[in-house]
Amino acid sequence: MTEAIGRNEPCPCGSGKKYKKCCGAKEAVSITHLIESEIDDLQKKLLHFALDHYEDDVYKAFDEYERYFSIEDEEERQFYEFVYSIWFSLFCILDDGETILEKFISSEVGKIKRPKLKQILLSWTDARTIAGEITNIDNNLLTVVDGFSSEQFEAIVTNTQRSFEKGSFFIGFLLPFSEKHVFFPAPFDLPELPNYQAIDYIKQKSETAGYHSPQEFFTDFFMEIMKDLTMVGGLVDADSMEWQSPIYKEVAELLKKNLESLGEIPSIVDLGIILWFQFCEKKQKRIKKPNLYAASLHYLLSTFNNMASELTQKEIAKLYSVPVGSLSSTYREMDDELEEEINKIIEISYEEADEIDNQIHALPFNLNQGPMLTEQIMQEALAEIQGQNFETIDEINEFLNKKLMNPVPKNAPKTNKDRAQQLIYEAMEVQGPKRYKLAQEAIKLNPDSVDAYVILTENATGLQEALMLSEKAMRIGEKELGKSFFVENKGHFWGLLETRPYMRAKAQYADALYQLGKMNDAIQQYEEILVLNPNDNLGGRYMLIAAYLSKGELSKAEKLLKQFEEETAHGLYNMLFVELLKKGFSAKAARMLKVAKKQNPHVIPYLTGKKRLPKHLPDQYGWGNENEAIIYADEHLHLWKKIKGLQEWLQKQ
């Protein structure tokens, strides 16, 4: 029988050293290496398990990610697919409420004989993402510091020949490994990117998304952040570029300075400099105010790029100490000149059937030129078009563009109807008492002015008066258009300018019916609006969906949501609402909540009661901002309050 050797006894090899200092140490090293090798095998088995059993789930999700980021290079695509498979396996919850990792542990743990390895595998449910700095390197053992919590970890890198740089920023996945951790598969280091800048970028993105924890945000959006950060910037050197004038370089440096001060990652800075270089190559302008061009370029970047610092046009003008009006004008020039380059970046495509309407709304016309002024110019332009011999849609578009961008002085109106319409156009561009006074003056000149009653409906003393005024406006509009007009042009309303006053009145009438609780009548009006104008330019579908939901007509609401499938607060939160009513607090509902929260996190505080709705609703809103959340909550909060257990579920999520 072989006798066990104590660790403090002399080593039997005859070296004279204690066993633990001699062959015992070698044995310990070999066991450690063996476990590391087994850990590496387990990681590979996990990926094989994921793709063998859940390939459809993984690749379907990755396809959406790939389309969102337009990954074209095959080698790059394979890299992101590999990383995505790991992230999905560790953190994404399947329909049955478990992750692939949890299923793998259940399947594998019974096959493992070594108790220590079994314990390590069971601890992997505490997997985490990490972003931070590599502070020390000892062979395959890295000491890293978490950029969010400042915690220090010792993490092993198994089976890799890569070398790492001390002080490098990195991101990755950590799995528990006894008292240490192990990377899965290895850290993704970005030595060119300053640690503080990367961490600040993630924190700003987290705050913008409404997350209280940057760590939680980073885990949920690891792939998106990785894509942002691995678009390695800092490679565009303004000093080495062949600028045709020193002042062009000055603009580039000023833009870079301000973007970096706001925490933008280098890739966005590089993009701005490249676009500016292309603009200079095309235009070769004589520039006297570099601040103005840097500010305009900064604003241009913000219109199509997902920047960490979301500044308004006014805030950007203040940052560069330039007038807002001048910034707007110069921005339009840049946007027009760089249209082809920008379209390549954001891959915008326009539907040919809506060419004219899209052209109008996409044009970067003067920000002081409101929608009704555009409509006014269009009305005049269409009258002029009838006297022209245009042969193609491109010729018409070119004419409309010039008309919108360079409106000419107008002739004085000759009839009372024309004078009334001129007053309406003026009223539509102002707010407050003057708006309603102009509408009243318009009615004196033309008692059948539909838009005048539309404006006065806004100032009604109560819902009954609003109902009366909007119905009167609608009936006048119906009479002016005539019965045959409705038959001949059904499905094309709003595209025909003469229908717009009537459509505005009808939408107001439907809203008043809804507010008075006359749901059946309101639904009828909204449905008629969609028949007349399937594109729903006035957004009547939002109130129609709310009406369907209030009556419990879930199938109609769901059908309409799918018809206008859109990633807005109304679309995503209403789809979630339908899911909650149909199947309760399911795993699918949890995933849908994450998607909705990503689009607009500002909705949640209103649903949970942490925020109260303001007394006055905003006049306008943008996708993802708080005004959109306020509008949505105002229309739907009473419905959400009927879901029992909602507050607890939202807090848990």
Side-chain angles (χ1 to χ4, degrees), residues 68-166:
Y68 183 77
F69 284 102
S70 302
I71 303 172
E72 297 179 357
D73 181 77
E74 179 59 23
E75 186 175 343
E76 182 185 14
R77 190 195 68 78
Q78 289 179 4
F79 168 73
Y80 281 107
E81 182 179 81
F82 169 67
V83 180
Y84 192 93
S85 300
I86 298 173
W87 172 78
F88 190 95
S89 301
L90 295 180
F91 303 109
C92 287
I93 301 172
L94 301 174
D95 288 339
D96 60 6
E98 284 192 312
T99 63
I100 293 177
L101 171 63
E102 289 169 335
K103 291 181 179 296
F104 172 73
I105 292 173
S106 299
S107 170
E108 191 70 20
V109 70
K111 305 174 186 177
I112 299 175
K113 296 181 179 180
R114 194 186 303 279
K116 185 173 182 179
L117 186 61
K118 184 181 294 190
Q119 183 181 8
I120 290 171
L121 178 60
L122 289 170
S123 71
W124 281 9
T125 53
D126 292 328
R128 58 170 291 160
T129 56
I130 185 170
E133 183 180 358
I134 299 172
T135 57
N136 192 50
I137 303 169
D138 184 7
N139 294 319
N140 70 330
L141 179 65
L142 306 184
T143 304
V144 297
V145 175
D146 186 296
F148 305 129
S149 65
S150 299
E151 293 177 86
Q152 182 170 288
F153 299 94
E154 289 187 331
I156 294 168
V157 183
T158 63
N159 194 23
T160 181
Q161 302 301 317
R162 287 181 54 205
S163 60
F164 302 95
E165 293 182 22
K166 183 177 178 181

Side-chain angles (χ1 to χ4, degrees), residues 21 103 115 218 296 309 311 406 420 450 513 548:
K21 296 282 189 179
K103 291 181 179 296
F218 183 54
S296 303
S309 55
L311 301 184
N406 303 294
V450 177
L513 288 170
Y548 284 150

Side-chain angles (χ1 to χ4, degrees), residues 511 514 526 530 535-549 560-561 564-572 574 621 623 628 631-632 635-636 639:
D511 289 347
Y514 180 91
Y526 288 127
L530 288 178
N535 288 337
D536 192 28
N537 297 73
L538 287 173
R541 62 188 180 276
Y542 300 123
M543 296 307 297
L544 178 55
I545 290 169
Y548 284 150
L549 293 175
L560 196 55
L561 284 165
F564 289 95
E565 191 171 1
E566 52 190 41
E567 295 189 356
T568 63
H570 284 81
L572 295 173
N574 278 337
Y621 65 88
W623 289 358
E628 182 193 35
I631 296 293
Y632 176 80
E635 295 169 356
H636 298 83
L639 299 173

Side-chain angles (χ1 to χ4, degrees), residues 132-133 147 169 193-204 260 263:
E133 183 180 358
F169 169 76
L193 190 59
N195 179 67
Y196 76 91
Q197 195 173 35
I199 295 299
D200 284 349
Y201 176 77
I202 299 171
K203 287 180 177 179
Q204 288 175 10
E260 289 180 345

Side-chain angles (χ1 to χ4, degrees), residues 437-639:
K437 183 180 179 181
L438 288 168
Q440 290 167 343
E441 291 176 2
I443 288 177
K444 291 177 183 178
L445 293 171
N446 177 21
D448 290 334
S449 174
V450 177
D451 269 331
Y453 287 105
V454 168
I455 292 172
L456 292 178
T457 300
E458 301 169 4
N459 198 39
T461 55
L463 288 175
Q464 287 295 344
E465 184 182 357
L467 185 70
M468 180 194 70
L469 288 170
S470 58
E471 184 177 15
K472 184 173 183 177
M474 185 177 67
R475 299 307 174 200
I476 293 172
E478 287 175 350
K479 184 179 178 181
E480 282 194 348
L481 293 174
K483 292 183 179 179
S484 61
F485 185 94
F486 282 80
V487 176
E488 295 168 2
N489 297 291
K490 181 175 67 174
H492 302 286
F493 275 49
W494 194 261
L496 304 169
L497 290 178
E498 59 266 43
T499 68
R500 294 189 177 185
Y502 165 76
M503 293 295 285
R504 283 189 279 264
K506 191 173 183 69
Q508 280 190 337
Y509 181 58
D511 289 347
L513 288 170
Y514 180 91
Q515 294 296 329
L516 286 166
K518 299 181 179 182
M519 289 299 163
N520 290 334
D521 292 336
I523 287 173
Q524 180 184 341
Q525 292 299 320
Y526 288 127
E527 288 177 341
E528 288 176 2
I529 287 173
L530 288 178
V531 170
L532 293 171
N533 175 31
N535 288 337
D536 192 28
N537 297 73
L538 287 173
R541 62 188 180 276
Y542 300 123
M543 296 307 297
L544 178 55
I545 290 169
Y548 284 150
L549 293 175
S550 68
K551 290 197 67 182
E553 297 182 1
L554 300 187
S555 59
K556 288 185 177 180
E558 194 169 19
K559 181 180 178 181
L560 196 55
L561 284 165
K562 289 180 179 178
Q563 179 184 340
F564 289 95
E565 191 171 1
E566 52 190 41
E567 295 189 356
T568 63
H570 284 81
L572 295 173
Y573 280 97
N574 278 337
M575 285 296 286
L576 170 61
F577 184 82
V578 171
E579 172 69 16
L580 291 173
L581 290 183
K582 289 173 66 177
K583 298 183 180 178
F585 304 125
S586 63
K588 182 180 179 181
R591 294 196 305 273
M592 293 173 74
L593 176 61
K594 278 191 174 183
V595 175
K597 186 178 177 182
K598 179 181 178 182
Q599 191 279 331
N600 193 324
H602 306 290
V603 174
I604 301 298
Y606 293 104
L607 298 185
T608 58
K610 289 184 177 180
K611 277 190 175 183
R612 292 184 178 181
L613 290 170
K615 293 181 179 179
H616 302 289
L617 297 179
D619 295 325
Q620 56 187 356
Y621 65 88
W623 289 358
N625 67 17
E626 185 151 8
N627 282 355
E628 182 193 35
I630 292 170
I631 296 293
Y632 176 80
D634 177 70
E635 295 169 356
H636 298 83
L637 188 57
H638 66 289
L639 299 173

Side-chain angles (χ1 to χ4, degrees), residues 193-287:
L193 190 59
N195 179 67
Y196 76 91
Q197 195 173 35
I199 295 299
D200 284 349
Y201 176 77
I202 299 171
K203 287 180 177 179
Q204 288 175 10
K205 296 284 283 187
S206 170
E207 291 174 5
T208 301
Y211 276 70
H212 297 296
S213 165
Q215 179 63 56
E216 179 187 352
F217 169 80
F218 183 54
T219 299
D220 288 350
F221 296 93
F222 181 90
M223 295 304 303
E224 287 84 347
I225 293 298
M226 182 178 194
K227 181 64 177 174
D228 286 348
L229 296 179
T230 53
M231 290 170 58
V232 179
L235 302 180
V236 176
D237 184 5
D239 289 330
S240 63
M241 300 176 79
E242 296 182 2
W243 301 99
Q244 296 188 30
S245 170
I247 201 167
Y248 295 168
K249 179 184 172 185
E250 185 179 341
V251 171
E253 291 174 340
L254 182 59
L255 175 72
K256 180 179 180 180
K257 175 185 174 184
N258 280 295
L259 289 177
E260 289 180 345
S261 71
L262 293 170
E264 296 298 345
I265 59 174
S267 58
I268 291 179
V269 179
D270 288 353
L271 178 60
I273 294 174
I274 291 169
L275 285 175
W276 172 239
F277 186 82
Q278 292 171 332
F279 178 81
C280 294
E281 290 288 293
K282 286 184 173 186
K283 293 293 286 186
Q284 301 176 19
K285 293 183 68 69
R286 295 180 63 185
I287 295 174

